[in-house]
Amino acid sequence: MENGIRRRGRNDDPEGLTIEDTRDMKPRRSVEGFHWDIWLLMTAQNWIFDFGRPIAALMIPEELFPMYLPSVGDYFHMIYNLITPFCILKLFERSHTKTSSTFRSLCVITFVMGASIHLVGDSVNHRLVKLGYKLHLSVRDNPMMQSLQPRGLVDSFVLLYNYDEVIGHLMWYIPFFISLFLYYTGCFLSYQSVDLVRPTFSWWILTILSSFYYWYLVTEGQIFSVYFITFVAMIGLMVYKRRKQNSQLDINGRFLLYSFALTLLLVLVWVIYLWNDEALRVKYPGLLYIPEPWSYYTLYLKQ
């Protein structure tokens, strides 16, 4: 029949379609654009619920949050532990390429467990700061600990410190950076693909805000090695993709790469500024000397 009415033929049978045909029939979602919703949420909650939680814990009157109950900073940490894995999972959904779902799940599960361990240790440590604990000194060198009886209690606080600053940080930050790198691997497009998105002024502002947060993460978390290995791997992958596969980074991949590059610059400025500080050198000996901002605060800024 004519008049725009077409008989169903053999080629119209869905069973006769090839994989490429069925793939073309599916609606395609544009993934080249900048993920403003995810990156804005992630950056804002990083600044408020991670960077801002110790500040809030110190500034809010103790009468509202007694020492024996969770502080406002603890509640901030709980919210961070919920929002960050959500953002990571949403980034995975929008990646150009899909990695192993099992590996992605293990990264997110380990991240949540490490951040939760850190929550408990950090909560107790911030209460110790209010009682006179000096963050620029080691646990055993603190005057508070030297007068503690019985002496075996000091070992308990050393264990708490290890859960907070060592185990918690490693289980938190290693899967976090692995997750970002996994997403980054899916941020490459062929040069034939048209990427209409160009960096805007607001994009650069968000990149700078993100890099300042990563500076805080690297210095306060004492995870420069984890960050630097990730950054080098990102640069290496970009060079390989460009030369061997004729691919380029999309706007989201450039956001991550530029944020990490600015972070390295900020860390170098921070280290140079405090390079000759004798007091901080005692706690951070060796060539890899990166003082924690909160140690600097308790040493020079806290009244």
Side-chain angles (χ1 to χ4, degrees), residues 262-298:
L262 287 174
T263 299
L264 181 60
L265 177 61
L266 292 171
V267 171
L268 290 175
V269 171
W270 175 254
V271 171
I272 293 172
Y273 171 66
L274 297 173
W275 186 258
N276 295 320
D277 192 296
E278 296 180 359
L280 291 174
R281 276 285 182 181
V282 174
K283 185 176 180 180
Y284 309 98
L287 184 61
L288 192 59
Y289 166 72
I290 305 177
E292 299 171 71
W294 278 103
S295 294
Y296 180 84
Y297 166 78
T298 60

Side-chain angles (χ1 to χ4, degrees), residues 5 19 43 95-96 119-120 164 172 183 256 260 285 303:
I5 301 177
I19 295 177
T43 303
S95 177
H96 296 293
L119 190 161
V120 178
D164 178 14
W172 175 1
Y183 170 76
L256 272 177
F260 276 41
Q303 302 299 328

Side-chain angles (χ1 to χ4, degrees), residues 16-300:
L17 296 175
T18 65
I19 295 177
E20 289 74 18
D21 293 333
T22 56
R23 185 179 299 162
D24 292 338
M25 292 173 61
K26 296 178 181 179
R28 292 187 178 183
R29 181 177 61 181
S30 177
V31 293
E32 285 90 8
F34 187 63
H35 307 320
W36 279 105
D37 52 347
I38 300 178
W39 293 123
L40 271 175
L41 174 61
M42 198 166 182
T43 303
Q45 70 96 26
N46 283 339
W47 274 90
I48 297 172
F49 298 122
D50 190 19
F51 177 77
R53 60 184 169 79
I55 300 175
L58 293 174
M59 294 182 61
I60 298 297
E62 295 182 11
E63 298 79 27
L64 298 178
F65 297 91
M67 297 282 283
Y68 58 86
L69 292 176
S71 70
V72 63
D74 297 336
Y75 291 113
F76 277 23
H77 206 322
M78 295 176 194
I79 297 173
Y80 171 89
N81 291 2
L82 294 174
I83 297 180
T84 303
F86 170 78
C87 291
I88 291 174
L89 291 173
K90 298 304 290 184
L91 286 175
F92 283 148
E93 288 182 6
R94 300 191 188 182
S95 177
H96 296 293
T97 59
K98 302 301 180 183
T99 55
S100 168
S101 60
T102 300
F103 186 67
R104 296 199 309 263
S105 299
L106 287 174
C107 285
V108 174
I109 291 170
T110 306
F111 166 87
V112 173
M113 183 176 178
S116 300
I117 290 173
H118 180 268
L119 190 161
V120 178
D122 199 59
S123 176
V124 176
N125 281 335
H126 278 281
R127 281 155 178 75
L128 293 177
V129 171
K130 288 187 176 182
L131 297 174
Y133 186 85
K134 306 297 182 182
L135 291 175
H136 66 279
L137 297 175
S138 66
V139 177
R140 299 188 188 277
D141 291 336
N142 260 267
M144 178 189 300
M145 297 299 166
Q146 291 177 352
S147 60
L148 190 64
Q149 296 295 331
R151 295 301 299 163
L153 285 176
V154 178
D155 292 334
S156 299
F157 283 99
V158 173
L159 175 63
L160 178 68
Y161 176 88
N162 287 329
Y163 270 117
D164 178 14
E165 299 294 330
V166 182
I167 300 173
H169 280 188
L170 292 177
M171 292 184 65
W172 175 1
Y173 294 129
I174 289 178
F176 175 73
F177 280 100
I178 289 177
S179 297
L180 290 181
F181 181 75
L182 287 177
Y183 170 76
Y184 175 84
T185 61
C187 291
F188 290 89
L189 299 169
S190 66
Y191 278 100
Q192 289 74 24
S193 300
V194 180
D195 184 8
L196 300 178
V197 182
R198 294 291 181 267
T200 61
F201 179 76
S202 56
W203 183 90
W204 280 110
I205 294 296
L206 190 62
T207 302
I208 293 172
L209 289 174
S210 178
S211 64
F212 268 99
Y213 169 74
Y214 287 131
W215 162 82
Y216 170 76
L217 204 66
V218 170
T219 54
E220 185 64 28
Q222 294 292 284
I223 52 159
F224 180 80
S225 299
V226 178
Y227 149 77
F228 189 70
I229 291 172
T230 306
F231 183 45
V232 171
M234 291 168 67
I235 295 177
L237 182 63
M238 180 190 66
V239 173
Y240 172 80
K241 289 281 189 177
R242 179 174 295 179
R243 293 183 177 179
K244 300 297 184 180
Q245 299 184 2
N246 198 30
S247 299
Q248 61 180 333
L249 277 171
D250 69 2
I251 191 68
N252 296 284
R254 278 177 281 164
F255 173 76
L256 272 177
L257 186 66
Y258 293 177
S259 295
F260 276 41
L262 287 174
T263 299
L264 181 60
L265 177 61
L266 292 171
V267 171
L268 290 175
V269 171
W270 175 254
V271 171
I272 293 172
Y273 171 66
L274 297 173
W275 186 258
N276 295 320
D277 192 296
E278 296 180 359
L280 291 174
R281 276 285 182 181
V282 174
K283 185 176 180 180
Y284 309 98
L287 184 61
L288 192 59
Y289 166 72
I290 305 177
E292 299 171 71
W294 278 103
S295 294
Y296 180 84
Y297 166 78
T298 60
L299 180 60
Y300 294 114

